[in-house]
mmCIF file of all heavy atoms in Angstrom:
data_model
loop_
_atom_site.group_PDB
_atom_site.id
_atom_site.type_symbol
_atom_site.label_atom_id
_atom_site.label_comp_id
_atom_site.label_asym_id
_atom_site.label_seq_id
_atom_site.Cartn_x
_atom_site.Cartn_y
_atom_site.Cartn_z
ATOM 1 N N MET A 1 22.433 -14.703 8.110
ATOM 2 C CA MET A 1 23.427 -14.383 7.088
ATOM 3 C C MET A 1 24.481 -13.531 7.673
ATOM 4 O O MET A 1 25.694 -13.600 7.420
ATOM 5 C CB MET A 1 22.770 -13.733 5.942
ATOM 6 C CG MET A 1 23.794 -13.437 4.752
ATOM 7 S SD MET A 1 22.906 -12.862 3.296
ATOM 8 C CE MET A 1 22.385 -14.430 2.568
ATOM 9 N N SER A 13 28.695 -0.822 3.853
ATOM 10 C CA SER A 13 29.802 0.073 3.594
ATOM 11 C C SER A 13 30.488 -0.226 2.289
ATOM 12 O O SER A 13 30.832 0.639 1.504
ATOM 13 C CB SER A 13 30.805 0.060 4.666
ATOM 14 O OG SER A 13 30.266 0.473 5.892
ATOM 15 N N LEU A 16 28.327 0.850 -0.465
ATOM 16 C CA LEU A 16 28.321 2.346 -0.571
ATOM 17 C C LEU A 16 29.696 2.855 -1.229
ATOM 18 O O LEU A 16 29.655 3.821 -1.990
ATOM 19 C CB LEU A 16 28.175 2.907 0.788
ATOM 20 C CG LEU A 16 26.786 2.622 1.353
ATOM 21 C CD1 LEU A 16 26.718 3.066 2.830
ATOM 22 C CD2 LEU A 16 25.745 3.424 0.576
ATOM 23 N N LYS A 20 30.094 5.034 -4.413
ATOM 24 C CA LYS A 20 30.740 6.324 -4.217
ATOM 25 C C LYS A 20 30.067 7.192 -3.232
ATOM 26 O O LYS A 20 29.822 8.417 -3.520
ATOM 27 C CB LYS A 20 30.947 7.069 -5.569
ATOM 28 C CG LYS A 20 31.867 6.288 -6.554
ATOM 29 C CD LYS A 20 31.979 7.002 -7.870
ATOM 30 C CE LYS A 20 32.813 6.168 -8.854
ATOM 31 N NZ LYS A 20 32.938 6.820 -10.135
ATOM 32 N N ILE A 29 23.309 7.346 9.066
ATOM 33 C CA ILE A 29 21.953 6.912 8.706
ATOM 34 C C ILE A 29 21.469 5.732 9.474
ATOM 35 O O ILE A 29 20.379 5.686 9.945
ATOM 36 C CB ILE A 29 21.803 6.647 7.163
ATOM 37 C CG1 ILE A 29 22.157 7.877 6.388
ATOM 38 C CG2 ILE A 29 20.473 6.129 6.854
ATOM 39 C CD1 ILE A 29 22.349 7.538 4.873
ATOM 40 N N GLY A 45 4.478 -0.542 20.805
ATOM 41 C CA GLY A 45 4.307 -1.650 21.719
ATOM 42 C C GLY A 45 3.382 -1.239 22.866
ATOM 43 O O GLY A 45 2.492 -2.031 23.278
ATOM 44 N N GLN A 59 -9.309 -8.030 13.224
ATOM 45 C CA GLN A 59 -10.142 -8.201 11.994
ATOM 46 C C GLN A 59 -9.357 -8.756 10.862
ATOM 47 O O GLN A 59 -8.562 -8.004 10.292
ATOM 48 C CB GLN A 59 -10.697 -6.757 11.610
ATOM 49 C CG GLN A 59 -11.488 -6.133 12.703
ATOM 50 C CD GLN A 59 -12.852 -6.772 12.993
ATOM 51 O OE1 GLN A 59 -13.444 -7.331 11.997
ATOM 52 N NE2 GLN A 59 -13.184 -6.815 14.191
ATOM 53 N N LYS A 65 -4.982 -6.661 2.477
ATOM 54 C CA LYS A 65 -4.474 -5.578 1.505
ATOM 55 C C LYS A 65 -2.894 -5.308 1.834
ATOM 56 O O LYS A 65 -2.387 -4.641 1.098
ATOM 57 C CB LYS A 65 -5.235 -4.307 1.543
ATOM 58 C CG LYS A 65 -6.650 -4.445 1.254
ATOM 59 C CD LYS A 65 -6.903 -5.107 -0.066
ATOM 60 C CE LYS A 65 -8.346 -5.409 -0.415
ATOM 61 N NZ LYS A 65 -8.690 -6.280 -1.464
ATOM 62 N N GLN A 70 2.411 -6.490 5.713
ATOM 63 C CA GLN A 70 1.936 -7.228 6.875
ATOM 64 C C GLN A 70 3.008 -8.156 7.396
ATOM 65 O O GLN A 70 3.186 -8.364 8.559
ATOM 66 C CB GLN A 70 0.662 -7.967 6.474
ATOM 67 C CG GLN A 70 0.011 -8.808 7.548
ATOM 68 C CD GLN A 70 -0.435 -7.947 8.706
ATOM 69 O OE1 GLN A 70 -1.075 -6.959 8.488
ATOM 70 N NE2 GLN A 70 -0.121 -8.259 9.920
ATOM 71 N N VAL A 73 5.661 -6.259 9.074
ATOM 72 C CA VAL A 73 5.180 -5.930 10.468
ATOM 73 C C VAL A 73 5.285 -7.083 11.452
ATOM 74 O O VAL A 73 5.651 -7.022 12.513
ATOM 75 C CB VAL A 73 3.710 -5.343 10.383
ATOM 76 C CG1 VAL A 73 3.158 -5.272 11.706
ATOM 77 C CG2 VAL A 73 3.814 -4.082 9.715
ATOM 78 N N TYR A 75 7.293 -9.639 11.115
ATOM 79 C CA TYR A 75 8.738 -9.760 11.357
ATOM 80 C C TYR A 75 9.231 -8.883 12.548
ATOM 81 O O TYR A 75 9.876 -9.247 13.458
ATOM 82 C CB TYR A 75 9.462 -9.608 10.073
ATOM 83 C CG TYR A 75 10.832 -8.916 10.281
ATOM 84 C CD1 TYR A 75 11.922 -9.516 10.930
ATOM 85 C CD2 TYR A 75 11.084 -7.633 9.775
ATOM 86 C CE1 TYR A 75 13.070 -8.907 11.118
ATOM 87 C CE2 TYR A 75 12.333 -7.011 10.007
ATOM 88 C CZ TYR A 75 13.331 -7.619 10.652
ATOM 89 O OH TYR A 75 14.501 -7.029 10.810
ATOM 90 N N LEU A 83 5.084 -6.773 20.733
ATOM 91 C CA LEU A 83 4.309 -7.061 19.476
ATOM 92 C C LEU A 83 4.039 -8.566 19.168
ATOM 93 O O LEU A 83 3.624 -8.919 18.121
ATOM 94 C CB LEU A 83 5.133 -6.435 18.306
ATOM 95 C CG LEU A 83 5.434 -5.035 18.416
ATOM 96 C CD1 LEU A 83 6.213 -4.531 17.226
ATOM 97 C CD2 LEU A 83 4.170 -4.194 18.442
ATOM 98 N N GLU A 104 11.929 8.508 4.917
ATOM 99 C CA GLU A 104 11.833 9.875 4.560
ATOM 100 C C GLU A 104 12.764 10.768 5.403
ATOM 101 O O GLU A 104 13.410 11.725 5.079
ATOM 102 C CB GLU A 104 10.375 10.375 4.616
ATOM 103 C CG GLU A 104 9.576 9.739 3.498
ATOM 104 C CD GLU A 104 8.076 10.026 3.593
ATOM 105 O OE1 GLU A 104 7.780 10.797 4.529
ATOM 106 O OE2 GLU A 104 7.279 9.420 2.849
ATOM 107 N N PRO A 137 13.502 -21.310 8.494
ATOM 108 C CA PRO A 137 13.295 -22.533 9.218
ATOM 109 C C PRO A 137 11.923 -22.718 9.781
ATOM 110 O O PRO A 137 11.558 -23.847 10.054
ATOM 111 C CB PRO A 137 14.432 -22.438 10.344
ATOM 112 C CG PRO A 137 15.336 -21.547 9.916
ATOM 113 C CD PRO A 137 14.599 -20.491 9.081
ATOM 114 N N GLN A 141 5.506 -23.154 10.305
ATOM 115 C CA GLN A 141 4.940 -22.899 11.562
ATOM 116 C C GLN A 141 4.392 -21.491 11.561
ATOM 117 O O GLN A 141 3.378 -21.241 12.242
ATOM 118 C CB GLN A 141 6.004 -22.928 12.642
ATOM 119 C CG GLN A 141 6.364 -24.414 12.990
ATOM 120 C CD GLN A 141 7.398 -24.523 14.032
ATOM 121 O OE1 GLN A 141 8.006 -23.504 14.470
ATOM 122 N NE2 GLN A 141 7.596 -25.713 14.564
ATOM 123 N N GLY A 176 -32.952 -16.788 -6.811
ATOM 124 C CA GLY A 176 -32.905 -15.779 -5.809
ATOM 125 C C GLY A 176 -33.019 -16.349 -4.389
ATOM 126 O O GLY A 176 -32.610 -15.702 -3.444
ATOM 127 N N ALA A 207 12.395 -14.292 -2.909
ATOM 128 C CA ALA A 207 13.358 -14.880 -3.916
ATOM 129 C C ALA A 207 14.060 -13.732 -4.598
ATOM 130 O O ALA A 207 15.331 -13.728 -4.729
ATOM 131 C CB ALA A 207 12.545 -15.643 -4.992
ATOM 132 N N LYS A 230 36.802 -20.361 2.826
ATOM 133 C CA LYS A 230 35.859 -20.711 3.879
ATOM 134 C C LYS A 230 35.506 -22.084 3.848
ATOM 135 O O LYS A 230 35.673 -22.851 2.820
ATOM 136 C CB LYS A 230 34.663 -19.695 3.786
ATOM 137 C CG LYS A 230 34.941 -18.332 4.116
ATOM 138 C CD LYS A 230 33.700 -17.526 4.040
ATOM 139 C CE LYS A 230 33.879 -16.136 4.465
ATOM 140 N NZ LYS A 230 32.709 -15.285 4.496
ATOM 141 N N LEU A 259 -7.331 -25.387 1.401
ATOM 142 C CA LEU A 259 -8.182 -24.238 0.982
ATOM 143 C C LEU A 259 -8.251 -24.158 -0.533
ATOM 144 O O LEU A 259 -9.333 -23.918 -1.106
ATOM 145 C CB LEU A 259 -7.546 -22.941 1.578
ATOM 146 C CG LEU A 259 -7.794 -22.732 3.004
ATOM 147 C CD1 LEU A 259 -6.984 -21.531 3.504
ATOM 148 C CD2 LEU A 259 -9.245 -22.447 3.313
ATOM 149 N N LYS A 268 -16.397 -24.454 -9.130
ATOM 150 C CA LYS A 268 -17.072 -25.398 -10.045
ATOM 151 C C LYS A 268 -18.570 -25.207 -9.714
ATOM 152 O O LYS A 268 -19.429 -25.129 -10.623
ATOM 153 C CB LYS A 268 -16.639 -26.780 -9.915
ATOM 154 C CG LYS A 268 -15.302 -26.987 -10.535
ATOM 155 C CD LYS A 268 -14.803 -28.436 -10.332
ATOM 156 C CE LYS A 268 -13.482 -28.673 -10.930
ATOM 157 N NZ LYS A 268 -12.947 -29.951 -10.664
ATOM 158 N N PHE A 295 -33.977 -16.096 -42.705
ATOM 159 C CA PHE A 295 -35.322 -16.050 -42.432
ATOM 160 C C PHE A 295 -35.923 -14.862 -43.082
ATOM 161 O O PHE A 295 -36.986 -14.892 -43.654
ATOM 162 C CB PHE A 295 -35.704 -16.116 -40.950
ATOM 163 C CG PHE A 295 -35.960 -17.456 -40.408
ATOM 164 C CD1 PHE A 295 -34.844 -18.289 -39.923
ATOM 165 C CD2 PHE A 295 -37.212 -18.019 -40.370
ATOM 166 C CE1 PHE A 295 -35.128 -19.561 -39.526
ATOM 167 C CE2 PHE A 295 -37.394 -19.244 -39.950
ATOM 168 C CZ PHE A 295 -36.419 -20.114 -39.460
#
Side-chain angles (χ1 to χ4, degrees):
Chain A
M1 182 171 281
S13 300
L16 294 169
K20 297 179 181 176
I29 296 170
Q59 301 292 325
K65 303 302 175 192
Q70 180 64 45
V73 167
Y75 142 67
L83 299 178
E104 290 171 9
Q141 286 181 347
K230 291 184 176 182
L259 286 172
K268 288 177 182 175
F295 266 89

